[in-house]
Amino acid sequence: ETPHCLVHTMEVEESSTHPTTALREFGCEQNLLSRPDGSASFVQGDTSVLAGVYGPAEVKVSKEIYDRATMEVLIQPKVGLPAILSLSAGHTRFSLFYLCPVSLLLSRRYKASLCVSVCLCVQGPQLLACSLNAACMALMDAGLPMRCLFCGVTCAIDPEGHIHTDPTAAQERESRAVMTFAIDSAERRVMMSSTKGSFSVSELQQCIAVSQRASGKIFQFYRDSVSRRYSKML
Amino acid sequence: MRETPLSNCERQFLLTAIKEKKRLDGRQTYDYRNIKITFGTQYGCCIVDLGKTSRVLAQVSCELVAPKENRPTEGILFFNLELSQMASPAFEPSRQSELLVKLNRQLERCLRNSKCIDTESLCVVSGAKVWQVRVDVHVLNHDGNIMDASSIAAITALCHFRRPDVCVQGEEVTVFTPEERDPVPLSIYHMPICVSFSFFEQGTYLLVDPCEREERVMDGLLVIAMNKHREMCSVQSSGGIMLLKEQVLRCSKIASVKVAEVTELINKALENDKKARYVFEFL
């Protein structure tokens, strides 16, 4: 069976009412690898990530959990050994490890193993957000029971206090603080946050509000790309 | 995670098909799957697809290091092949499996021991600073013949790679960014490429470019690394089959044809990428 491949790209235009929620073009391809049960690649700006999901499958007795599935997250940096992860790659692994069980209904697949492996094809800015999106698309492709979808949005606060969503590498370098939020699709709540730099409480709240608005566009993109994929299959 | 075992009837079916000169994907005995070579945005990033399924990614990087004591004027080449769990559920993470060691060794023999890269040109200051070129090969999807795909990906990535230009003034070494000075390509003498042959029924039947299913039922494997000048770079036989001299010679003849085709393909891909980059720069 040949894998069904489709590439979708979408450009989100800068809206005049909310100039801060501008996102750059992103692209996604699902089911591009034949071996994993679900796979997806996600390209966001200069960053590109490939994710593959195996499962539910047999689990080693030593790792078995009687009431839910055992989750494993593997990160593969493009240069260097996977055992020695860079700070950002290690953080991505950590985040996915805690985020996936929140969105997946692991208790439905008890005494089984799920494995998410992520290959960082082009390590650019917003690695975390891009990895989260790729992992979510791969989990969706694998057809695992989920409570909600999730997406990652990155915001940067520049020295003047302006908030930029989807910052470029240069914007990220010059910024005072960079934050990445994982947002769920059901109620647009924050599932995880990762922050760097200093900011005030009101700035954090503003960033969350902006990210929640921006997440709508990403979820719409998820929906569009999946519906386009299945409309061609039928 | 364990691999799904191959059932006896599947095994029987595959072997009967091979005896009747038929293959699962409709190829002939000596046919290679379609090779697709694509490049990433960075220099030295190459993805090789064999057919629609096997996929390998290679990335070349470099850094300035102190040379080895016994070779003060030679740059260092480092190869690292990774079998991630993404490629196949049978691959255990962070474990040196027999297959991994075999593949890594073969890749080293094919690319380092064949002296296809001029390591002396990688020297910056004798005994103090040399370039260490690192080739990371990631198997993304395993559908047989990882070795051939990896060797094609690695040599193509090495040809595609550009290292930063350096300038030595007395004791001082200046490394230029790509904006200051155009990066320079590595000097490559020849391009060794591996061709795998799988043997069935104690060497009675032979297939070129086995897929994953065929690899599971084969008795032995012969990997020949050769360049387009028909020079052998390495020969590796595994699986414990006895081969006759004629068989090995026949395989080397087939390999020379395949290598010529693949080299042509790589050169074309590199040429196309160069043109695309040239156009992109002027836009």
Side-chain angles (χ1 to χ4, degrees), chain B residues 68 135 186:
Chain B
K68 287 182 182 156
V135 186
L186 305 174

Side-chain angles (χ1 to χ4, degrees), chain A residues 2-3 32-36 50 52 54 57-58 60 74 76-82 113 115 117-119 121, chain B residues 1-3 42 45 52-53 55 57 59 61 80 82 84-89 93 134 136 138 140-142 212:
Chain A
T2 56
L32 70 164
L33 302 178
S34 68
R35 292 303 295 272
L50 182 68
Y54 280 97
E58 193 183 358
K60 271 186 201 157
L74 299 162
Q76 207 182 0
K78 194 156 76 154
V79 176
L81 300 168
S113 79
C115 175
S117 54
V118 176
C119 179
C121 291
Chain B
M1 231 175 267
R2 229 186 304 167
E3 183 109 56
Q42 292 162 298
C45 176
K52 284 192 172 116
T53 43
R55 181 180 285 206
L57 179 143
Q59 172 71 54
S61 51
N80 175 40
E82 286 294 335
S84 79
Q85 205 163 19
M86 196 188 290
S88 160
R134 184 189 168 97
D136 284 277
H138 298 283
L140 299 178
N141 204 40
H142 171 34
E212 199 255 348

Side-chain angles (χ1 to χ4, degrees), chain A residues 60-71:
Chain A
K60 271 186 201 157
V61 183
S62 58
K63 288 184 184 170
E64 192 182 275
I65 305 171
Y66 68 93
D67 63 347
R68 63 192 157 92
T70 309
M71 190 72 214

Side-chain angles (χ1 to χ4, degrees), chain B residues 116-153:
Chain B
C116 63
I117 292 157
D118 180 15
T119 45
E120 295 213 342
S121 72
L122 295 172
C123 177
V124 180
V125 180
S126 174
K129 269 200 167 62
V130 294
W131 285 108
Q132 184 190 48
V133 176
R134 184 189 168 97
V135 186
D136 284 277
V137 180
H138 298 283
V139 180
L140 299 178
N141 204 40
H142 171 34
D143 191 29
N145 210 0
I146 300 176
M147 195 56 241
D148 293 16
S150 306
S151 83
I152 297 169

Side-chain angles (χ1 to χ4, degrees), chain A residues 1-233:
Chain A
E1 197 199 348
T2 56
H4 176 85
C5 295
L6 275 176
V7 183
H8 307 303
T9 55
M10 180 182 84
E11 199 157 3
V12 185
E13 284 163 28
E14 206 168 325
S15 68
S16 53
T17 45
H18 301 299
T20 46
T21 60
L23 301 174
R24 272 176 295 169
E25 187 180 324
F26 32 69
C28 173
E29 188 179 352
Q30 268 185 319
N31 199 9
L32 70 164
L33 302 178
S34 68
R35 292 303 295 272
D37 297 312
S39 56
S41 78
F42 209 92
V43 185
Q44 201 170 340
D46 305 325
T47 313
S48 159
V49 172
L50 182 68
V53 174
Y54 280 97
E58 193 183 358
V59 64
K60 271 186 201 157
V61 183
S62 58
K63 288 184 184 170
E64 192 182 275
I65 305 171
Y66 68 93
D67 63 347
R68 63 192 157 92
T70 309
M71 190 72 214
E72 228 182 319
V73 178
L74 299 162
I75 300 277
Q76 207 182 0
K78 194 156 76 154
V79 176
L81 300 168
I84 312 154
L85 290 178
S86 66
L87 201 62
S88 59
H91 187 65
T92 307
R93 178 169 185 267
F94 197 69
S95 308
L96 275 172
F97 188 74
Y98 285 101
L99 191 58
C100 290
V102 180
S103 111
L104 286 165
L105 294 163
L106 290 180
S107 53
R108 291 262 184 99
R109 296 280 180 270
Y110 57 91
K111 286 192 183 181
S113 79
L114 298 177
C115 175
V116 179
S117 54
V118 176
C119 179
L120 312 172
C121 291
V122 183
Q123 258 169 285
Q126 305 171 49
L127 187 73
L128 179 59
C130 192
S131 307
L132 294 181
N133 294 339
C136 183
M137 287 305 253
L139 289 170
M140 219 196 305
D141 186 38
L144 293 167
M146 288 168 96
R147 197 172 281 126
C148 57
L149 299 178
F150 56 87
C151 75
V153 185
T154 306
C155 307
I157 307 173
D158 66 14
E160 283 88 56
H162 299 296
I163 298 168
H164 302 276
T165 50
D166 194 14
T168 59
Q171 276 174 333
E172 230 182 82
R173 256 198 312 276
E174 288 160 16
S175 64
R176 175 153 56 85
V178 181
M179 310 178 194
T180 301
F181 301 102
I183 293 172
D184 80 290
S185 64
E187 292 170 63
R188 301 281 154 80
R189 281 207 277 220
V190 179
M191 298 169 87
M192 186 213 71
S193 70
S194 155
T195 61
K196 199 175 77 181
S198 67
F199 47 84
S200 67
V201 175
S202 69
E203 276 174 331
L204 175 68
Q205 281 166 341
Q206 267 176 14
C207 282
I208 291 175
V210 165
S211 303
Q212 281 170 327
R213 275 208 300 276
S215 74
K217 291 178 178 172
I218 298 175
F219 289 127
Q220 191 54 47
F221 172 74
Y222 280 7
R223 185 175 287 277
D224 289 347
S225 78
V226 171
S227 66
R228 229 178 300 175
R229 177 183 157 201
Y230 285 108
S231 69
K232 282 197 184 168
M233 273 170 93

